[in-house]
């Protein structure tokens, strides 16, 4: 009778403990499911955050950059106009140095001959030609500075209008959030925010179109470059005429071999006007550079927008992983419950098995949480780093385009065949080096972010599972084996230990009747 009472007491205690385990796990599942559903649901603060981030990123990547590029272009164009005006005389003189040298040679050859007067009579021909073309250039480009200043004022007005729209959009989105702070008014909040969003992007797109192609550079190319090219072409033409006049004068000196002298003068190659074509070639190269960066920026902008819209970049929390592990190992809990009911041995065996399995769950959940923290922190850091890399490139790009070309004009003689091209190539190469280094980091980080989206943020049942789950299954098997041994050792009887069915997918804890097998304590459970 005492044994019967004891057995009934043990069975009752076992059932109570089993019920507590089951109810506790189910309560945690329900609580955590509720918490998780709240974390993934769109909240007002989440929505406001990513809509403002969307506008801010676009502002940094595009409108602010093109406005700064146009500002630098205008400043450089003003400097180039002034530089051309002050250096035009020396530039044109260098272009016809051949004529100046031939004049000196001719004056020495015909000194004291009948040709001396003829040569001296045309000695000022090229000087007058250069002065005439400088005067023509000054008339041609007379309004250049005033027109560029006018374009600068237009740019300032455009920037003010854009910045007003940008700041107004961000401020009014906050107003929308204040007016519709609750989730039950999310539709009205979205309608309010989208109207501000559309207002901003309409202004942003109009701003970008207004400065492409660059108004300052377009004016400089069509007017100033045209005036400078006309001056060079006219001086070159008069240079050819001057050489013919020298040849005509040589006829008056019988000591000069007319044919040999003509061959010498024909060594002048003339002038091939490449000023405009060099600028266009450099612009094409810059366009390809900028487009490569912009295309990559747009791809990342879209990726970032998708991440901010769809996912909450924060840890799922310990309870989430604890819940997942309870779900995956639910059959092991059921095994302990059923085994304890069917084979009521020493209560210490049940307590030990329960504690052991709980340790398995806690350990696996903690390991997954550690991985979770790493991914969340890495995601934030990589998104921040990629943004900084693009912003760094954005700070460089305004200075490598039209502004760089104009600065090349300011630096020196513009009529040499490859002066501007060579100067711009150096600027372009310097940017390519910077871009290559940063692009390697950008590509690596974006690839990792895409992998995180596919494996972590996109709703995986157990993010950061992997080998952690395999280790948990193995440890749970060991726990059941130890339970069997404990029951045998304490009672001297071989008890049946209920084994879980092969696990294919995680399921909730159930109380359905499991299958049972009896195994001797000397046999490995697995």
């Amino acid at each position: 009778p005492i044994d019967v009472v004891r057995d009934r007491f043990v069975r009752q205690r076992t059932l109570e403990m089993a019920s507590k385990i089951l109810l506790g796990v189910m309560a945690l599942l329900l609580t955590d499911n509720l918490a998780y559903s709240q974390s993934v649901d769109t909240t007002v603060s989440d929505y406001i955050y990513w809509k403002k981030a969307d506008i801010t990123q676009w502002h940094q990547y595009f409108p602010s950059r093109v406005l700064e590029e146009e500002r630098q272009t205008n400043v450089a164009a003003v400097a180039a106009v002034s530089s051309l005006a002050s250096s035009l005389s020396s530039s044109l003189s260098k272009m016809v140095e051949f004529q100046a040298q031939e004049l000196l040679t001719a004056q020495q050859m015909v000194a004291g001959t009948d040709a001396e007067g003829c040569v001296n009579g045309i000695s000022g021909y090229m000087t007058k030609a250069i002065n005439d073309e400088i005067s023509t250039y000054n008339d041609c480009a007379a309004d250049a500075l005033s027109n560029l200043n006018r374009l600068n004022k237009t740019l300032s007005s455009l920037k003010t209008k854009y910045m007003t729209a940008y700041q107004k959009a961000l401020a009014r989105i906050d107003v929308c959030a204040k007016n519709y702070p609750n989730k039950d008014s999310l539709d009205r909040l979205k309608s309010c925010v989208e109207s501000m969003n559309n207002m901003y992007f309409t202004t942003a797109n109009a701003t970008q179109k207004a400065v492409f192609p660059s108004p300052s550079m377009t004016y400089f190319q069509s007017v100033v470059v045209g005036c400078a090219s006309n001056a060079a072409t006219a001086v070159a033409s008069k240079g050819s005429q001057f050489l013919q006049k020298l040849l005509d004068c040589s006829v008056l000196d019988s000591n000069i071999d007319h044919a040999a002298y003509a061959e010498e003068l024909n060594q002048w190659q003339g002038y091939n006007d490449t000023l405009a074509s060099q600028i266009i070639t450099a612009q094409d190269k810059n366009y390809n550079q900028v487009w490569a960066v912009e295309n990559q920026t747009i791809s990342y902008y879209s990726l970032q927008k998708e991440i901010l819209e769809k996912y909450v970049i924060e840890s799922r929390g310990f309870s989430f992983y604890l819940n997942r592990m309870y779900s995956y190992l639910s059959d092991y809990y059921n095994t302990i419950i059923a085994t304890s009911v069917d084979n009521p041995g020493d209560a210490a065996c049940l307590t030990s098995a329960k504690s052991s399995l709980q340790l398995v769950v806690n350990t696996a959940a903690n390991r997954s949480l550690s991985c979770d923290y790493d991914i969340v922190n890495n995601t934030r850091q990589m998104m921040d780093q990629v943004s900084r890399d693009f912003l760094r490139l954005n700070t460089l790009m305004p200075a490598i385009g039209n502004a760089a070309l104009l600065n090349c004009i300011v630096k020196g003689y513009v009529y040499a065949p490859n002066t501007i091209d060579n100067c711009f190539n150096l600027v372009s190469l310097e940017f390519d080096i910077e871009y290559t280094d940063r692009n390697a980091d950008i590509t690596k980080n974006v690839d990792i972010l895409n992998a995180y989206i596919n494996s972590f943020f996109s709703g995986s049942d157990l993010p950061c599972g992997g080998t952690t789950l395999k280790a948990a299954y193995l440890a749970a098997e060991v726990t059941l084996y130890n339970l069997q041994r404990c029951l045998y050792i304490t009672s001297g009887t071989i008890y049946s230990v209920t084994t879980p069915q092969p696990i294919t997918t995680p399921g909730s804890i159930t109380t359905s009747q499991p299958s049972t097998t009896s195994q001797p304590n000397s046999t490995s459970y697995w």
Side-chain angles (χ1 to χ4, degrees):
I2 294 176
D3 290 340
V4 172
V5 172
R6 180 178 59 80
D7 288 344
R8 287 178 179 174
F9 175 76
V10 170
R11 178 178 289 272
Q12 181 63 32
R13 291 289 293 164
T14 301
L15 286 171
E16 290 175 359
M17 294 177 69
S19 298
K20 288 180 180 179
I21 294 174
L22 180 61
L23 291 173
V25 173
M26 291 181 67
L28 181 59
L29 283 167
L30 291 172
T31 302
D32 192 64
N33 280 335
L34 177 60
Y36 182 62
S37 67
Q38 291 173 343
S39 69
V40 298
D41 197 5
T42 301
T43 64
V44 171
S45 59
D46 291 336
Y47 178 72
I48 294 299
Y49 169 76
W50 67 254
K51 291 303 288 188
K52 291 177 69 174
D54 180 32
I55 290 175
T56 300
Q57 287 297 311
W58 189 266
H59 161 73
Q60 292 175 330
Y61 290 151
F62 298 106
S64 64
R65 191 200 81 226
V66 297
L67 287 169
E68 174 60 18
E69 182 173 349
E70 180 60 19
R71 186 195 69 80
Q72 291 190 27
T73 299
N74 185 270
V75 171
V78 170
V81 168
S82 300
S83 175
L84 275 175
S86 62
S87 64
L88 188 60
S89 176
S90 62
S91 295
L92 293 174
S93 297
K94 289 179 181 179
M95 194 179 71
V96 289
E97 279 186 342
F98 182 87
Q99 282 78 356
Q101 292 171 354
E102 289 301 321
L103 174 62
L104 291 175
T105 300
Q107 286 175 330
Q108 292 173 359
M109 286 193 307
V110 300
T113 68
D114 292 340
E116 182 177 9
C118 179
V119 171
N120 289 336
I122 62 172
S123 60
Y125 185 85
M126 289 310 302
T127 300
K128 183 177 183 303
I130 290 173
N131 289 335
D132 288 346
E133 293 310 318
I134 290 174
S135 178
T136 301
Y137 169 83
N138 289 335
D139 290 340
C140 178
D143 297 329
L145 289 177
S146 61
N147 285 332
L148 286 171
N149 288 332
R150 190 177 300 112
L151 288 173
N152 185 52
K153 291 180 180 179
T154 301
L155 175 64
S156 297
S157 299
L158 180 68
K159 182 177 180 179
T160 299
K161 179 181 178 181
Y162 165 75
M163 289 302 298
T164 299
Y166 168 63
Q167 293 165 355
K168 183 184 294 184
L170 296 179
R172 289 188 176 178
I173 286 176
D174 287 333
V175 173
C176 292
K178 291 180 181 178
N179 291 338
Y180 306 105
N182 301 319
K183 287 179 63 177
D184 57 3
S185 58
L186 196 58
D187 288 340
R188 284 178 290 172
L189 170 67
K190 288 183 177 181
S191 177
C192 179
V193 170
E194 286 304 320
S195 66
M196 296 301 103
N197 190 70
N198 292 337
M199 180 272 292
Y200 165 73
F201 278 101
T202 298
T203 304
N205 291 337
T207 300
Q208 290 172 242
K209 290 180 180 179
V211 292
F212 184 83
S214 164
S216 297
M217 192 63 183
T218 299
Y219 176 82
F220 184 87
Q221 286 176 267
S222 62
V223 176
V224 180
V225 171
C227 295
S229 293
N230 290 341
T233 300
V235 168
S237 176
K238 291 180 179 178
S240 296
Q241 296 173 16
F242 175 73
L243 294 178
Q244 183 59 48
K245 291 181 181 296
L246 280 181
L247 185 61
D248 292 341
C249 287
S250 68
V251 176
L252 301 176
D253 187 348
S254 58
N255 295 321
I256 296 177
D257 185 334
H258 191 72
Y261 189 50
E263 185 177 349
E264 177 184 336
L265 296 180
N266 284 335
Q267 292 178 11
W268 189 56
Q269 300 297 317
Y271 170 69
N272 181 24
D273 181 21
T274 63
L275 181 57
S277 62
Q278 285 186 76
I279 291 175
I280 292 173
T281 299
Q283 285 177 322
D284 287 343
K285 181 180 294 185
N286 175 250
Y287 177 83
N288 291 332
Q289 280 184 312
V290 171
W291 172 241
V293 178
E294 283 190 344
N295 194 37
Q296 193 177 22
T297 304
I298 290 172
S299 296
Y300 174 68
Y301 167 81
S302 300
L303 171 65
Q304 181 178 247
K305 183 177 180 180
E306 178 186 11
I307 293 174
L308 292 175
E309 286 183 7
K310 291 185 177 180
Y311 312 114
V312 178
I313 311 302
E314 61 185 25
S315 172
R316 285 166 167 79
F318 178 72
S319 61
F320 171 83
Y321 291 103
L322 198 62
N323 175 40
R324 296 278 80 77
M325 285 303 166
Y326 277 130
S327 179
Y328 273 101
L329 300 180
S330 60
D331 287 332
Y332 289 91
Y333 277 99
N334 289 335
T335 294
I336 293 176
I337 294 169
T339 300
S340 301
V341 172
D342 295 338
N343 303 286
D346 191 338
C349 293
L350 175 62
T351 301
S352 176
K354 172 192 171 185
S355 298
S356 178
L357 190 57
Q358 187 63 47
L359 179 61
V360 171
V361 169
N362 289 344
T363 300
N366 275 311
R367 288 177 179 173
S368 294
L369 182 63
S370 177
C371 168
D372 176 299
Y373 283 151
D374 288 342
I375 289 180
V376 169
N377 290 334
N378 285 345
T379 298
R380 290 172 176 168
Q381 291 172 7
M382 283 188 291
M383 289 177 67
D384 185 56
Q385 182 59 54
V386 172
S387 294
R388 287 202 304 270
D389 285 334
F390 278 122
L391 290 177
R392 170 58 181 166
L393 295 174
N394 263 6
T395 62
L396 297 176
M397 285 194 289
I400 67 165
N402 290 320
L405 282 169
L406 293 164
N407 287 330
C408 286
I409 291 175
V410 171
K411 287 179 180 178
Y413 175 49
V414 296
Y415 294 123
N418 297 310
T419 299
I420 296 174
D421 192 36
N422 291 337
C423 174
F424 181 79
N425 283 341
L426 295 175
V427 177
S428 179
L429 180 59
E430 185 177 3
F431 177 79
D432 281 342
I433 293 172
E434 178 85 14
Y435 174 65
T436 299
D437 290 341
R438 292 190 179 271
N439 183 51
D441 292 335
I442 290 171
T443 301
K444 179 187 69 176
N445 288 335
V446 168
D447 286 345
I448 295 174
L449 286 172
N450 278 315
Y452 283 168
I453 289 174
N454 295 330
S455 64
F456 183 80
F457 291 110
S458 60
S460 172
D461 185 68
L462 184 66
C464 290
T467 57
T468 300
L469 186 58
K470 293 181 181 179
Y473 279 140
L474 177 60
E477 293 283 348
V478 172
T479 296
L480 293 189
Y481 174 66
N482 289 337
L483 173 60
Q484 181 192 35
R485 290 180 59 83
C486 179
L487 292 173
Y488 173 75
I489 291 171
T490 57
S491 65
T493 304
I494 298 177
Y495 285 94
S496 297
V497 176
T498 305
T499 60
Q501 295 296 324
I503 297 174
T504 55
T505 58
S508 60
I509 295 178
T510 64
T511 57
S512 59
Q513 287 295 325
S515 62
T516 61
T517 58
S518 296
Q519 298 189 28
N521 67 322
S522 61
T523 303
S524 172
Y525 189 83
W526 54 87

